[in-house]
């Protein structure tokens, strides 16, 4: 769930930009990824056995007054995906971090934002080739720990 309170310490929002194509949406205090709605080109879904990137997909902003270390966890609740199929890469914003942030932390000062790309790797390179995605339920958990000096 995403708190509806504008004063929350950590803001999670769908990123602006055409690369998102409206796939990441915020409704009922949740960020959701809907790949069934046609995008700007009239296509829907993602290609099987392909690597698909939504960049940027999610903006995470530190709205608190202290510096934080942001970590991200991914849980697969149902469907054929594994954690090898889903990556969140820090690609922009106020912080310079590269790579899959589920493997590290991102430090954000007060007011700083990190843009995250959502990468769905359905190729055999992931170790779990997927030919049909189906209905998949994934939970992404964002944790902010105070790292003030």
């Amino acid at each position: 769930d995403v708190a509806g309170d504008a004063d929350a310490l950590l803001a999670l929002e769908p990123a602006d930009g055409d690369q998102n194509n409206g796939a990441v949406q915020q409704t009922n205090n949740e960020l959701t990824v809907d790949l069934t709605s046609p995008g700007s080109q009239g296509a829907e879904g993602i290609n099987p056995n392909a690597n698909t990137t939504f960049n940027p997909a999610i903006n995470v902003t530190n709205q608190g007054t202290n510096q934080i270390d942001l970590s991200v966890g991914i849980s697969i609740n149902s469907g054929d995906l594994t954690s090898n199929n889903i990556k969140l890469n820090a690609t922009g914003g106020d912080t310079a971090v590269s790579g899959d942030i589920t493997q590290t932390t991102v430090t954000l000062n007060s007011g700083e934002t990190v843009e995250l790309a959502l990468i769905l790797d359905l190729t055999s390179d992931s170790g779990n080739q997927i030919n049909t995605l189906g209905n998949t339920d994934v939970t992404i958990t964002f944790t902010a720990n105070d790292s003030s000096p």
Side-chain angles (χ1 to χ4, degrees), residues 67-90:
Q67 177 179 294
I68 63 165
D69 286 334
L70 175 71
S71 59
V72 178
I74 297 176
S75 302
I76 312 299
N77 304 318
S78 66
D80 295 329
L81 293 178
T82 69
S83 59
N84 291 337
N85 298 117
I86 302 174
K87 305 276 185 275
L88 283 169
N89 282 6

Side-chain angles (χ1 to χ4, degrees), residues 4 36 38 55 65-66 77 82 95 124 140 149:
T36 61
N55 184 21
T65 57
N66 295 338
N77 304 318
T82 69
T95 187
S124 57
I140 301 173

Side-chain angles (χ1 to χ4, degrees), residues 18 25 31 52 71 82 86 96-97 102 111-112 120:
D18 293 335
Q25 303 168 3
L31 285 181
T52 303
S71 59
T82 69
I86 302 174
V97 175
T102 62
E112 286 186 333
L120 299 173

Side-chain angles (χ1 to χ4, degrees), residues 19-34:
Q19 298 303 314
N20 183 350
N21 283 321
V24 179
Q25 303 168 3
Q26 185 170 345
T27 54
N28 298 326
N29 293 328
E30 287 187 338
L31 285 181
T32 59
V33 179
D34 182 1

Side-chain angles (χ1 to χ4, degrees), residues 7 12 26-28 31 34 48 62 68 85 88 95 101 115-116 119 123 127 130 136:
D7 295 323
L12 305 173
Q26 185 170 345
T27 54
N28 298 326
L31 285 181
D34 182 1
N62 177 5
I68 63 165
N85 298 117
L88 283 169
T95 187
I101 70 165
E115 292 178 344
L116 302 179
I119 301 165
T123 67
I130 304 284
T136 300

